[in-house]
Structure formats: C-alpha cells, structure tokens
Amino acid sequence: MRRAIKFLLLLLTGLAALAFAGHQVLEQTTNGWFDRDLQLRSQLAVSAASRSLVRNWQESARLTAVLEDLTSDERILGAAACNLEGEVQAATAAYPRELGIRDLIQANGGPLSGPEPAKATWSTTTALGSGRVHISGSTIDGEAGPLGFVVLVHDLTFVARREATTRSLMLWGFFVLAIGASVVTLAAARIAWRGWVRELRKALTDDATTADTSTGDFQPLVRDVRSLAERLARERHDDAGTGPWSANRLRKTLLQHLQGERVVILANREPYIHERTDQGIRVLHPASGLVTALEPVMKACSGTWVAHGAGSADRETVDAHDRLRVPPGEESYLVRRVWLTEAEEAGYYYGFANEGLWPLCHLAHQRPSFRAEDWQQYVRVNQRFADAVCEEVDSDDPIILVQDYHFALAPRMIRARLPRATILTFWHIPWPSAERLGICPWREEIIAGLLGSSILGFHTRQHCNHFIDSVDAYVESRIDREQQAVVQGAHRTLIRPYPISIEWPVHWLARVPPVAECRAAIRRQLGLAPDALLGVGIDRLDYTKGIEERLAAVDRLLADRPEFRGRFTFVQLAAPSRTKIPRYRELNEQVEAQAVAINQRWGTESWRPIALLRSHHEPLSVFAHYRAADLCYVSSLHDGMNLVAKEFVAARDDEQGVLVLSQFTGAARDLTEALIVNPYDLQQASAALAAALRMPVDEQKERMRSMRRIVAEFNVYRWAGRMLIDATDLRRRERMHGRLSGPVLGETA
Ligand code: F6P
C-alpha cells in the first residue's frame, strides 16, 4: 500500500509538470492558429469588398461606408483606407487613429510608392490600451495599378478570453485525469492487495505436506507464522482480562461453566502402568504424547480415566471395581481399568487401530491392513469401553473426553445411552484426505461413530477440513461450513482445531538437576568428553518418526563436515512400541543395523557418533537428556503435533539448545523459531544440524526465548479449557433452539 501511495504522488507530480508544459505549447499553437485565421479572414473580407473599394476609392464618404460594412464582424474593431504613402484617406469611427499606421506599413513591407515592391498582404499584432490588436494590411489594386491599402484592426481580447477558457478547461481536464488516475491506482493496489491476501489465505489452508519448502534455509513457512499470529490475536481477544491458562484456571472454568462436573476421560493408554519385576511391582509412565497432555488436565479436573489395563501387575493394584487412585502419593483422580482378552487386544489395538487406522492416517509409506476380524473386535471393544464410561458417570449429562483413533465408534455408542452427554472427542493423529480415507472399508461407520460427539477436535484446521470433506463424501448430513459443524437431525457436531500441548511449567522439571549438572552427568553416562557436542532424539520406535532419516542425516553431517568427527554424538532414546506388529519389529532391526553401520564408518576407539538406547525411559531421564543436549532433532515423516519438540523447549530454562524440527509435524506451525527441515532432504537436514551446532549463544537464546513464550502461553490447560468452553456454548445454543431439554449448562437448574 505504501508503494501505491508513493506511486500516486509521483504520478500527480508528473501530471502537474505535464499540465504546465502542455499549457505553454497550447498557447503558442493557438496563437499561431488565430494569427493565420485572422489574416485569412481579413484577406477574404477585403477581397469580397475590393470592387466597392476600388469604385469608391476617391469618394471619402462612400469609402468610409464600405469600410463600415467591412467592420460588421464584431471582432473587427475598425478599418481604414490608406494611400500609397500610408496616409489615412478614410476610416471607420472606431478605428484607433493612435496606431501610427505609417510606421506599421514601413515595418511590414514598406510604402507602395517606395523603390522596393511592397508586400501584397501583411499582418502583425501590437499592444493597444490594455489589450492587444491584430492588424492586417491588404493592397487594393485599381485598373492602373495599386491604389493603396486597406487596414483592418481585429480586437484580440476574444483570443485572450478563449485562451483563458481553454486554460481552465485544460486544468479541469488534468484535475479530472489526476483524480481518475488516483482512483485507478488505488483500486489496482487494493485489488493486488486482496489478491495477495487471498493467495496467502489459500496458502494458509493448504496441505502442509505439499508446501513449497524450497527456501532451503530452515525458515518457517509463511503460513505457519501467519496462522500463529492470527491465532494469538484471536485468542488474546477472547481471553482478554483472564490471564494465562493454568491448572487453577482450568479448574475454575470447569466450575463456572460446567457446574464443577467430574470429567470422564476415555483413552486406550493408561497414565500409570504397573509392571511386575524381580524387585516387585514397578509403576511406569508410558511414552505417550497423549498421556503427557492429559495427565495434567485430569489432575486439575479430577474425575476418572477409563483405559486398557495393560500392565502385568495392573490387576493386582485395582480395587473390586477395577479402580485405582492416582497419581501415587498425591491421589487426585481415578483410573478405571478395562481388561481385554488377547484376541480383543490383537484385533482392536494391534490390528484395526495400529495396522489399519494408524498407517491410513499417516503419510509414511506403510500400507494399511484392514481385516474383517479386526474390525469386529474393534466394534466389540469400543462397545465395552463405551459401557465402562457409562458406568463411571454420575449424572445423565456428564462431560466425557474421548481420545484418539482407538475409539472412533465410542462417541456414538455413548450418545445412544446418554443423549444429554457432552462428548468432546480429540483425534490425536492426522486425519487423511477423503480420497485416502476411501481405502478403509468401514469409513462410513468410522465417521458416523465420531459424529456422536458434541465437538470433534483435531490438531490443525487442515485435518478439520479433511474430515468435513470426508463427511461430504461418505455420509448423509448437512454441513454448516460457516460454523464448521456437521448436522444430523437435531444433533450437531462442531469440528474444531485445538492444537494440543504440554503442561506449563512441567512438574517433572522440579526434580531434574539444572542444565550444567545434566550436561555433565549425561556426558559421563555416555562416556563422552565433558565438552563433547551432543544431539538428542526421543521417540517411540515408530516408522512415522523418521528415525532412519534422522540417523542418515547424522551420517551425512559427518561425511560432509569432517570437523564434527570425534566431537559430535547423537543419542537416540527409542522406546520399543507395538512390537507384536511385524513392521515395528522390522524397524527395530533396521535402526539397530543402521546405528551399527554409522558407528563402524566413523567411530574410533574412543568415540562413537550414535548412541542408540532402545528401552523405556522414565520422564526424569528424558528431561535430563533434553537439558544435556546442544540440539534436539525431531524428524517425523508425519505427526499430528509431536510433544517431544515442546518438551525440549520446556526443559531449556537456560534458553539454550537448538530445536531442529520436521516441517511435517503439527508443532512446526507453532514453533517457528526452530530450524524447520524436510527430513527426507538429507542435505538440508545435515546442514541444519551443522547450523545448530555452530549457532552463537545469542541466537540460540533469542530463538529459545520466543519458543518458550509460545509453549508457555499455548499450554495444555488452554487446549482443554477452550474445548470445554466451546462445548458449553454449544449446549447453550442447542437448548435455546429447543434441540436439547433441561437447563442450560453453566446456569442454575
Ligand atoms: O500419537 C498417537 C498416540 O496414541 C499418542 O496419543 C500416543 O503418544 C501414542 O500414539 C502412543 O501409542 P501407544 O499407546 O500405542 O503406545
């Protein structure tokens, strides 16, 4: 816009200069035209009257009458007849005698009686009084030769009048032109601006996985920065005056909007697993982003977490109703364990959920397997969990949070038993395009199951759009695109993006030593020199995490940049996961073999580039590694959010350490100060690792500070709080429209 205004000023100055120059040229040209025109008119008038003039030349009175006839044109001021010497013989009454016609004749061709032949006609302009006059002389020839001249004096004030009119017309013309040009320029600038904004908006909603990342300098995508800024602005506006989200604020929100209801969470993975070991029963915290996010919410809200009891000592630690109070030592909520048979677990969890839906939803080049027997188990287990949830509620309009792809059918099953329930379902992984979803033979059932929810949340708007497209393609319903909702009869499901996050501050960090201690301790544990450069990766061993690409990037770094050989080690904490599935076992072996190969290629007696720690790590150890590292590389090939990236940022209260982050994670949209890379592009990824290891401390601090602000603000309490507030609004609207009976939630019954 600023450019358009500059252009406009330039244009106006140009037009003014043009107007001035134009005026000069126009004046000269029109003067020339008038001069020629008057001379011609004079000749014509004189030649038309020449016979009368000749006839009456000697008769002064008659000659004067002929001359008066000649001046009938209002622009002819006067006329005179002069003899060959230039003496006036006869003249009209208005003829200005002060003209000094002799001199003029002399100056314009000389007297007819002179030695040189005089000009037959001549003309000139001269000042007269306050104006100017045009004087023309024409020779009058008698039978015996020239008799004398007829002089016509034209009044030129009309020329000045016309000039003034022309000038003002011209100025108006230029003025109108200038206004027109300004309007056109501003309109063009506006259209261009709108076009740009439209393009930008389009880019913002496009597929992250098809984004142009050819910049190659690890910059965040423009749309990510912009959508983050928009989200910040929108949410700041909504939250004005209420302060940052915290456990306390979430608790208050629940109390205010939902009458302090107990929340029931349904999630396959339990927050505490009891395992039998040689030393007795051990409590484990699973490596799960879902658990990381939901535990703090449950601690804040209390209530019950319904989950699969998967630990070998789980049955021994529950009460007669399969319940257990957690967290150990600071009990604030309940876990209700549901027991599955081996066949149920094989079909529902390993089969349909993790060999079917998981590869269907992740673009990681693994074919989904859909088997009818797995589907039957999935339906059966969903019903069992839905029943368990209904046993845990203590009202007919409870708040139920259904989590993830394990329970696509449960929302509809719960709604069938509890029509007034507020069901918030969150899909923790990406939602595929409608076309890709078509691979699933039970796609209609999956969608219908999810539409039992009051609100269905995804990490990104892109996944919401994919879901709405899927509804459009496969089920009967009305899509309210303005409200981002799907309507089936009296029931409405809002489809919303709620980017998940972690608690802030992370409670584990209170028990983790400061950065300097962690740096020294972890280097000691790994057998590294105190000043060794250290990179860290922390994941479940899953093919979507891009662990092979990550190790290949380290390999490439060492190949291309010898200065890091002997100095840099990458430690990969890899928690074995879903090992009953062949593809996961295969991955285990491949990663192991790859680490061995890289260590053989570059390692020395005293140094190995890759430390692969394939075992479960408890949160305290995980956070100590985050603190010890110079960089953390998250290289997912496709990831709904990825909370490892956010945990690394939370761990770095020293504001140092560099995050290298895959562009295919939801987190890349929020953490724009990370070095954003395409993990498939090994040259780019290894360059990013090198840039991270060489990054000056000041720059590290600047980037880390900015990311910490984002994670602190967009924490998991906000995630849960906003979902709960939206659910309350939805129920209020439903009641007002009479679609639901009973009092409006948040209001006194
Ligand atoms: O990302 C999907 C998810 O269910 C997460 O919510 C969780 O972090 C992870 O998978 C755990 O997988 P599993 O429960 O199969 O070990």
Side-chain angles (χ1 to χ4, degrees), residues 23-41:
H23 174 250
Q24 300 295 320
V25 171
L26 201 72
E27 195 173 88
Q28 280 171 15
T29 311
T30 49
N31 281 347
W33 288 343
F34 282 125
D35 196 48
R36 276 196 300 280
D37 181 46
L38 290 177
Q39 195 175 356
L40 203 65
R41 278 161 171 273

Side-chain angles (χ1 to χ4, degrees), residues 269 288-290 349 354 358 404-406 428-429 540 578:
R269 186 59 63 200
S288 157
L290 181 150
Y349 173 76
N354 285 316
W358 180 266
D404 230 349
Y405 61 101
H406 309 94
H428 288 253
I429 61 176
R540 284 182 306 106
R578 306 172 191 170

Side-chain angles (χ1 to χ4, degrees), residues 56-75:
N56 300 300
W57 195 256
Q58 304 304 332
E59 289 289 331
S60 176
R62 287 201 192 143
L63 188 58
T64 306
V66 176
L67 292 175
E68 290 289 357
D69 279 353
L70 272 178
T71 59
S72 56
D73 182 338
E74 59 171 358
R75 280 170 296 180

Side-chain angles (χ1 to χ4, degrees), residues 686-735:
S686 60
L689 293 177
L693 293 171
R694 291 182 186 131
M695 190 179 285
V697 169
D698 281 354
E699 187 181 343
Q700 291 184 33
K701 288 195 170 207
E702 208 175 302
R703 287 173 182 269
M704 188 54 84
R705 224 175 275 144
S706 148
M707 291 192 285
R708 284 175 65 80
R709 269 199 301 271
I710 293 287
V711 181
E713 183 157 356
F714 291 95
N715 58 40
V716 78
Y717 303 113
R718 174 190 287 261
W719 171 79
R722 297 196 72 83
M723 270 202 289
L724 290 171
I725 289 173
D726 286 352
T728 316
D729 289 349
L730 174 72
R731 287 185 63 102
R732 188 171 286 129
R733 272 201 302 276
E734 300 269 280
R735 295 227 192 287

Side-chain angles (χ1 to χ4, degrees), residues 360-614:
L360 179 76
C361 294
H362 288 93
L363 301 175
H365 322 293
Q366 175 63 23
R367 278 200 180 124
S369 298
F370 288 111
R371 296 175 287 260
E373 54 279 20
D374 290 346
W375 168 248
Q376 281 150 20
Q377 291 293 4
Y378 188 79
V379 177
R380 189 182 141 80
V381 172
N382 265 252
Q383 188 61 62
R384 289 198 53 209
F385 274 98
D387 292 343
V389 166
C390 294
E391 286 162 21
E392 294 302 319
V393 301
D394 53 7
S395 71
D396 72 336
D397 62 352
I399 303 144
I400 298 164
L401 308 185
V402 177
Q403 305 300 312
D404 230 349
Y405 61 101
H406 309 94
F407 296 119
L409 308 179
R412 190 185 171 94
M413 293 168 170
I414 297 170
R415 169 99 33 229
R417 285 186 60 178
L418 296 166
R420 300 182 67 230
T422 298
I423 304 174
L424 311 180
T425 302
F426 193 78
W427 193 262
H428 288 253
I429 61 176
W431 184 270
S433 67
E435 190 185 5
R436 193 172 162 88
L437 184 72
I439 296 172
C440 176
W442 298 280
R443 64 211 170 194
E444 286 89 356
E445 288 87 338
I446 297 281
I447 295 173
L450 288 168
L451 291 178
S453 317
S454 314
I455 297 189
L456 174 57
F458 296 93
H459 290 298
T460 67
R461 189 164 290 285
Q462 182 206 343
H463 299 153
C464 295
N465 293 342
H466 282 177
F467 180 79
I468 289 179
D469 291 347
S470 307
V471 172
D472 207 6
Y474 302 117
V475 299
E476 280 293 319
S477 64
R478 183 169 72 78
I479 295 172
D480 178 345
R481 289 196 186 264
E482 204 182 325
Q483 297 295 323
Q484 286 263 303
V486 179
V487 185
Q488 287 184 316
H491 180 67
R492 172 179 284 256
T493 304
L494 295 186
I495 315 300
R496 291 280 186 278
Y498 300 103
I500 207 167
S501 194
I502 57 172
E503 64 178 330
W504 188 279
V506 176
H507 75 282
W508 296 109
L509 287 171
R511 292 163 54 197
V512 179
V515 168
E517 279 179 42
C518 288
R519 283 183 74 90
I522 298 290
R523 279 168 180 69
R524 249 192 333 268
Q525 271 174 36
L526 294 170
L528 303 174
D531 62 346
L533 296 170
L534 185 65
V536 68
I538 300 181
D539 308 84
R540 284 182 306 106
L541 250 170
D542 193 297
Y543 54 83
T544 61
K545 301 295 177 187
I547 299 171
E548 290 150 297
E549 285 74 7
R550 190 178 309 170
L551 299 187
V554 173
D555 190 26
R556 183 69 183 261
L557 172 85
L558 298 172
D560 292 351
R561 296 167 175 82
E563 70 268 30
F564 293 115
R565 293 180 204 158
R567 291 180 61 210
F568 175 63
T569 293
F570 191 85
V571 58
Q572 176 65 49
L573 273 58
S577 172
R578 306 172 191 170
T579 44
K580 288 191 179 160
I581 298 174
R583 175 69 182 94
Y584 284 80
R585 287 202 298 274
E586 209 177 280
L587 177 76
N588 243 294
E589 284 156 22
Q590 280 164 353
V591 169
E592 169 78 41
Q594 194 184 5
V596 168
I598 296 171
N599 283 340
Q600 275 171 358
R601 189 153 41 248
W602 306 111
T604 61
E605 270 185 15
S606 57
W607 167 76
R608 61 184 168 152
I610 306 286
L612 178 63
L613 308 181
R614 273 185 307 149

